[in-house]
């Protein structure tokens, strides 16, 4: 049966997105909340809030103990990841995003809240999710700066919540029960990463 409803072309979607950038920021939904200054949980991180539709407000660690750090690779760019988290239709977020070129850290969800990153509700409630710019099959994205800044972030999270700095508690997305993801992938250097985490 032929569909009678017409769908916008890719060109139309991109043109619409370009037009949206001309709309005054104050008129966008949630603009006031997003523009409000926030105190980040990790010193040096930049606040880039995810849409409120993409995480669950909570009061961790009182509501849920934080026991894991989950390492992700975004399969897109740093700016693309932030854009995905701002889009209320995606239903996904992580607490942090780390940029490849210089290790810049963005915080998108407060650590006290539950980001939707692991694909497993129990693990979401008990973990902090860190996305890394790049693709699992492109190891050039895993730069010295990214490893260093991400390891420093993970070490600080472990110190805040008394999480052991080992592979039983610092895990890849692929190790979350029920996950169908492969990240961070075979090119992620776990030995190097744990060594850096434990050096901070």
């Amino acid at each position: 049966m032929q569909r009678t409803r017409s769908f916008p072309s890719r060109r139309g979607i991109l043109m619409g997105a370009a037009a949206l950038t001309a709309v005054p920021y104050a008129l966008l939904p949630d603009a006031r909340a997003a523009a409000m200054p926030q105190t980040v949980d990790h010193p040096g991180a930049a606040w880039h809030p995810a849409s409120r539709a993409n995480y669950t407000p909570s009061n961790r660690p009182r509501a849920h103990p934080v026991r894991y750090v989950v390492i992700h690779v975004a399969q897109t760019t740093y700016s693309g990841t932030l854009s995905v988290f701002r889009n209320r239709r995606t239903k996904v977020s992580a607490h942090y995003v780390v940029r490849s070129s210089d290790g810049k850290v963005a915080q998108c969800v407060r650590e006290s809240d539950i980001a939707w990153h692991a694909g497993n509700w129990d693990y979401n409630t008990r973990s902090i999710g860190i996305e890394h710019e790049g693709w699992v099959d492109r190891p050039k994205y895993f730069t010295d700066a990214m490893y260093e800044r991400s390891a420093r972030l993970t070490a600080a999270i472990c110190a805040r919540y008394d999480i052991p700095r080992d592979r039983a508690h610092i895990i890849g997305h692929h190790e979350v029960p029920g996950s169908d993801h492969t990240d961070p992938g075979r090119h992620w250097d776990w030995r190097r990463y744990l060594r850096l985490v434990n050096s901070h």
Side-chain angles (χ1 to χ4, degrees):
M1 184 170 143
Q2 186 175 356
R3 293 179 183 269
T4 57
R5 182 179 172 192
S6 62
F7 293 90
S9 67
R10 182 175 183 274
R11 178 182 169 88
I13 291 169
L14 293 173
M15 289 176 65
L20 185 60
T21 62
V23 176
Y25 184 69
L27 298 180
L28 295 174
D30 297 328
R32 196 166 64 180
M36 290 174 61
Q38 294 285 332
T39 302
V40 293
D41 295 304
H42 183 68
W47 179 244
H48 289 274
S51 167
R52 288 290 301 268
N54 293 340
Y55 66 90
T56 302
S58 188
N59 186 26
R60 301 187 311 167
R62 186 173 300 155
H64 304 277
V66 178
R67 300 304 301 148
Y68 301 99
V69 177
V70 181
I71 303 299
H72 302 263
V73 172
Q75 297 298 102
T76 188
T77 63
Y78 175 84
S79 60
T81 306
L82 298 179
S83 179
V84 166
F85 293 170
R86 285 193 302 265
N87 183 341
R88 63 182 297 110
R89 293 187 300 270
T90 62
K91 306 303 181 193
V92 66
S93 63
H95 295 92
Y96 295 98
V97 182
V98 184
R99 190 160 64 190
S100 172
S101 61
D102 57 3
K104 180 178 179 180
V105 176
Q107 182 168 3
C108 304
V109 177
R110 297 303 306 267
E111 290 180 7
S112 59
D113 295 331
I114 301 167
W116 299 348
H117 63 98
N120 176 313
W121 178 248
D122 182 50
Y123 272 70
N124 280 344
T125 64
R126 297 187 293 138
S127 66
I128 302 291
I130 304 175
E131 284 282 3
H132 296 82
E133 177 182 30
W135 286 260
V136 296
D137 58 350
R138 301 184 197 175
K140 68 177 184 179
Y141 277 92
F142 304 155
T143 62
D144 293 345
M146 173 181 276
Y147 275 119
E148 173 60 33
R149 292 291 301 278
S150 176
R152 190 179 305 165
L153 169 61
T154 293
I157 292 166
C158 289
R160 277 193 286 279
Y161 302 103
D162 197 26
I163 300 171
R165 300 181 189 197
D166 59 33
R167 285 286 286 116
H169 297 86
I170 303 169
I171 63 174
H173 191 183
H174 71 285
E175 295 171 296
V176 173
S179 174
D180 60 356
H181 288 248
T182 62
D183 59 308
R186 64 187 178 90
H187 296 295
W188 185 262
D189 190 339
W190 281 108
R191 183 175 298 178
R192 176 185 184 185
Y193 191 68
L194 265 292
R195 186 173 66 248
L196 287 168
V197 170
N198 281 285
S199 72
H200 289 291

